[in-house]
Amino acid sequence: MTAPRLLDTRSVVFLTLIAVAAVAVPMANLAAEPGSALHLSSFAVSLFGKYLTYALLALSVDLIWGYCGILSLGHGAFFALGGYAMGMHLMREIGPRGVYAHPVLPDFMVFLNWDALPWYWWGFDMFWFACLMVVLVPGALAFVFGWLAFRSRVTGVYLSIITQALTYALMLAFFRNDMGFGGNNGLTDFKDLLGFSLQSDATRAGLFVASALALAAGFLICRFIVTSRLGQVLVSIRDAEARARFLGYRVESYKLFVFTISAMMAGVAGALYVPQVGIINPGEFSPANSIEIVIWVAVGGRGLLAGAALGAILVNAAKTLLTGWAPEIWLFFLGGVFVLVTIFLPRGVLGGLTAAGDRLGRRRRREYRPRTATSGRTTQPAE
Amino acid sequence: MVRQAANSMLYLDGVSISFDGFRAINGLSLVMAPGEMRAVIGPNGAGKTTMMDIITGKTRPDAGDVLFAGEIDLTRHDEAGIARLGIGRKFQKPTVFETHSVEDNLLLALKGRRGVFDVLRARRTAAESARIDELLDLIGLEPRRRDLGADLGHGQKQWLEIGMLLAQDPKVLLIDEPAAGMTDAETAQTAALLRRIAGEHTIMVVEHDMDFVRALGVKVTVLHEGTVIAEGSIDHVSADPRVVEVYLGR
């Protein structure tokens, strides 16, 4: 009765928009004549594809932050790990076409005078294995990290701080040349994926469609979780953790479950990001990146899933435009937007739009409508 | 003492705990029979809430036995485990899930499987709906079933929380200051609610309000500095010179 449906109006609109983009963007690139008003450059296709992977990343953060109150300031780490797993496969795909033309070793290993592939690079020549690692590596790290943190009942700002430490530690580790991940330069100069050249328009369009499908799948998984009774328990944990515990819910198991799923989604986003931008380096682990993800979610609308995705796309589109026109003001702009949204639109752009739509609809129908969970809390406890 | 434990629902013997050298609970012993309702009173810092923390697994005692149903050692279980054994706890400050409806608050509290994957697949059953209707009647919140927890008044939140405890179908209810912050009418209604559910459950009520304790009309245990100083009817303990001394100061 009160349980929300898997696909409400907002979800249908969101999925429809993704489907339209998945058809229209490749069409505008491949079918429209260059020079015509409808034509979209290959650069734009990859750029939009990148936005979609960011949207998936934002969904993964919204799942844990918006619904379970876990503010991860290190989610960029899981994104980067998924990206590195895909990058390693793309490096192996280069084969003897590298600058040094070594049949097996990637260029940077030849440069460092290594004579054999380190054991943790084994298997990455197989696409299916790399895909498995894209979810397993971030998932396993999140599981171990979450198991330790949630069992010790690390919550709130302390948890946020250790997630920052996690991503920072990984960044320093990946910067080292002897880690075997290309050090400072990371992994780049990719040639092809599954035999398709990464430079070709058709491949770029394919990657865009794959990103759209991944975003839709991630959205459906999140909706399935948050509309289930488990989703209600997650919200309960967010709002009154002790109450949930004393009702018999093992809070740490619930947090661990959703944190691990979220990290896997972030990994998939990273894996789709890398072939579209053509590089992965330790900069992706930087703590500032992870903080930026949280800003996307806050701007779009925390706890609304579609809002998080919208926020990621809006903020990154603004970033693309602004860093083109006036790069020096970008960070001021980002900070300003964050402050303004927090003050004036506490439920983000989508939350604000929904509330405005509700008000309009109510005025038109001139009838009382019971408050719903999306219109936010109005009364405070008496104490 | 062992024989006494065998027939008890809740059995505490020689329980002690110190926080940084401060003995919050000091050799506390207390036995509750199945179906009994007991009021626990005592001045601030007497250790009432700490005692509940120990029974519900939030705090582990340094020494002493804490047994449930005569045999289960509660010091070996965590909060969620103890809740599943059948001990429900109401907090001092009313705590309900504010962004869930009244109905969903009860649904989430209903006794059932609590594993992550069980809950992921759980669908609301007819039996669950029927039980929720019963509980709504009992706590008098039927007209507000679709409202959010956040929209309830202070007293209504207290009742909803008691309803959530009952939804767990617990054997023991620990209720911390149910009358705090309530109007006189609400206090009387709450006392009536507790009397109605007594008998089926073993209930421990911690309270400051003497009129409320009198309205309950049950055996009273007086705590002071982490230990029991008097036990008996309200008239008996109010006549005890030590209790008078503790409450009025020396």
Side-chain angles (χ1 to χ4, degrees):
Chain A
M1 259 184 287
T2 44
R5 280 173 309 143
L6 180 63
L7 291 177
D8 56 359
T9 318
R10 187 159 54 211
S11 306
V12 173
V13 171
F14 179 71
L15 288 171
T16 310
L17 287 176
I18 297 178
V20 168
V23 174
V25 169
M27 288 282 282
N29 173 243
L30 300 175
E33 287 294 316
S36 89
L38 290 175
H39 182 74
L40 204 59
S41 72
S42 303
F43 170 77
V45 172
S46 288
L47 185 67
F48 294 163
K50 184 177 87 170
Y51 293 167
L52 293 185
T53 65
Y54 283 158
L56 180 58
L57 177 57
L59 271 189
S60 77
V61 169
D62 195 29
L63 179 65
I64 54 167
W65 185 38
Y67 291 89
C68 198
I70 304 169
L71 176 55
S72 168
L73 293 179
H75 244 53
F78 303 120
F79 180 80
L81 286 173
Y84 266 98
M86 181 53 72
M88 286 160 81
H89 173 67
L90 296 173
M91 288 305 269
R92 297 294 307 271
E93 283 285 277
I94 298 171
R97 289 169 294 171
V99 177
Y100 297 110
H102 193 285
V104 176
L105 291 190
D107 278 347
F108 75 90
M109 291 187 192
V110 182
F111 183 76
L112 292 172
N113 291 320
W114 292 15
D115 45 15
L117 208 58
W119 62 268
Y120 46 83
W121 276 75
W122 295 349
F124 278 93
D125 49 331
M126 291 169 283
F127 181 68
W128 66 267
F129 181 82
C131 288
L132 207 60
M133 290 302 127
V134 160
V135 271
L136 284 189
V137 172
L141 178 66
F143 187 86
V144 172
F145 178 87
W147 192 75
L148 293 169
F150 301 139
R151 210 180 49 120
S152 317
R153 305 210 177 159
V154 182
T155 53
V157 67
Y158 302 100
L159 186 87
S160 304
I161 291 169
I162 58 169
T163 55
Q164 279 264 286
L166 171 77
T167 196
Y168 189 65
L170 283 168
M171 180 178 78
L172 296 182
F174 274 74
F175 263 127
R176 297 171 60 233
N177 274 330
D178 40 359
M179 271 288 279
F181 297 105
N184 191 20
N185 298 320
L187 310 175
T188 188
D189 288 333
F190 309 133
K191 304 282 189 246
D192 50 32
L193 177 61
L194 294 170
F196 299 104
S197 164
L198 287 173
Q199 270 66 47
S200 88
D201 288 351
T203 312
R204 284 167 180 242
L207 284 167
F208 179 89
V209 173
S211 305
L213 288 176
L215 178 59
F219 179 77
L220 285 171
I221 290 170
C222 288
R223 278 297 293 179
F224 176 72
I225 291 174
V226 305
T227 55
S228 72
R229 192 176 295 178
L230 181 125
Q232 289 186 303
V233 175
L234 295 179
V235 170
S236 305
I237 291 170
R238 179 192 74 189
D239 292 348
E241 181 167 330
R243 180 73 277 166
R245 213 184 275 283
F246 284 111
L247 284 179
Y249 293 102
R250 284 238 153 75
V251 166
E252 49 277 18
S253 315
Y254 286 80
K255 287 185 172 175
L256 190 55
F257 170 77
V258 76
F259 191 66
T260 305
I261 298 267
S262 165
M264 289 174 165
M265 279 174 53
V268 171
L272 285 160
Y273 166 86
V274 167
Q276 298 188 81
V277 299
I279 184 167
I280 174 83
N281 63 34
E284 295 297 336
F285 286 106
S286 90
N289 273 23
S290 293
I291 293 172
E292 218 171 289
I293 306 166
V294 169
I295 297 180
W296 307 340
V297 177
V299 166
R302 174 188 168 199
L304 296 170
L305 294 181
L310 179 74
I313 294 170
L314 284 180
V315 174
N316 281 292
K319 184 177 189 174
T320 304
L321 294 174
L322 264 182
T323 47
W325 293 335
E328 61 281 1
I329 66 163
W330 162 243
L331 281 177
F332 294 103
F333 175 82
L334 183 67
V337 166
F338 183 56
V339 170
L340 290 176
V341 165
T342 310
I343 294 172
F344 296 109
L345 289 172
R347 290 190 60 89
V349 171
L350 190 62
L353 285 176
T354 311
D358 280 356
R359 268 199 300 279
L360 208 67
R362 195 152 50 211
R363 200 173 303 153
R364 203 171 295 152
R365 266 176 272 127
R366 297 248 173 239
E367 65 179 13
Y368 170 77
R369 228 164 136 206
R371 236 191 312 274
T372 58
T374 48
S375 58
R377 25 169 102 178
T378 46
T379 36
Q380 287 297 312
E383 273 182 290
Chain B
M1 277 310 248
V2 175
R3 209 179 54 80
Q4 218 179 342
N7 298 319
S8 68
M9 184 54 82
L10 209 52
Y11 173 88
L12 283 77
D13 186 33
V15 176
S16 296
I17 186 169
S18 313
F19 300 114
D20 299 327
F22 169 68
R23 305 207 89 177
I25 298 284
N26 194 358
L28 180 118
S29 300
L30 188 149
V31 182
M32 286 183 72
E36 183 186 352
M37 172 144 70
R38 175 81 59 92
V40 176
I41 62 171
N44 281 331
K48 301 178 302 269
T49 301
T50 308
M51 177 180 70
M52 288 200 171
D53 285 348
I54 288 172
I55 297 169
T56 54
K58 192 177 176 216
T59 308
R60 239 169 264 288
D62 300 333
D65 294 326
V66 185
L67 300 181
F68 170 61
E71 52 182 8
I72 301 164
D73 182 356
L74 292 178
T75 59
R76 292 169 180 276
H77 296 269
D78 67 354
E79 295 101 311
I82 290 173
R84 291 184 207 182
L85 284 172
I87 298 184
R89 176 177 187 178
K90 204 200 83 59
F91 298 112
Q92 195 167 334
K93 180 172 181 273
T95 313
V96 300
F97 303 129
E98 307 236 321
T99 51
H100 288 318
S101 67
V102 168
E103 209 173 342
D104 284 344
N105 267 282
L106 291 171
L107 176 68
L108 291 171
L110 282 179
K111 187 182 180 141
R113 303 180 78 118
R114 297 284 201 249
V116 171
F117 295 100
D118 297 318
V119 173
L120 183 64
R121 286 192 304 263
R123 292 288 171 271
R124 185 156 161 179
T125 63
E128 286 176 331
S129 296
R131 180 78 183 124
I132 289 172
D133 292 343
E134 263 174 50
L135 287 164
L136 284 170
D137 272 343
L138 183 67
I139 58 175
L141 290 178
E142 163 58 36
R144 312 218 46 185
R145 65 188 299 158
R146 301 226 191 287
D147 291 333
L148 295 185
D151 297 339
L152 297 182
H154 180 77
Q156 291 168 324
K157 278 186 194 168
Q158 298 272 30
W159 299 330
L160 176 56
E161 197 179 5
I162 292 173
M164 289 164 75
L165 294 197
L166 293 174
Q168 287 174 268
D169 194 17
K171 296 193 180 68
V172 176
L173 285 166
L174 305 176
I175 302 184
D176 205 347
E177 299 206 20
M182 281 193 171
T183 62
D184 288 347
E186 286 174 332
T187 305
Q189 273 175 289
T190 307
L193 174 60
L194 290 179
R195 276 199 307 269
R196 217 177 309 146
I197 60 179
E200 295 169 51
H201 310 273
T202 306
I203 304 178
M204 182 192 285
V205 183
V206 164
E207 191 47 75
H208 272 307
D209 185 335
M210 283 306 200
D211 292 334
F212 181 77
V213 172
R214 208 171 278 280
L216 289 177
V218 296
K219 187 172 169 186
V220 178
T221 297
V222 186
L223 287 193
H224 178 55
E225 291 175 349
T227 154
V228 176
I229 58 165
E231 212 162 61
S233 73
I234 181 82
D235 296 321
H236 172 77
V237 299
S238 347
D240 190 310
R242 284 193 68 199
V243 175
V244 174
E245 186 191 13
V246 160
Y247 266 94
L248 300 179
R250 357 197 145 197

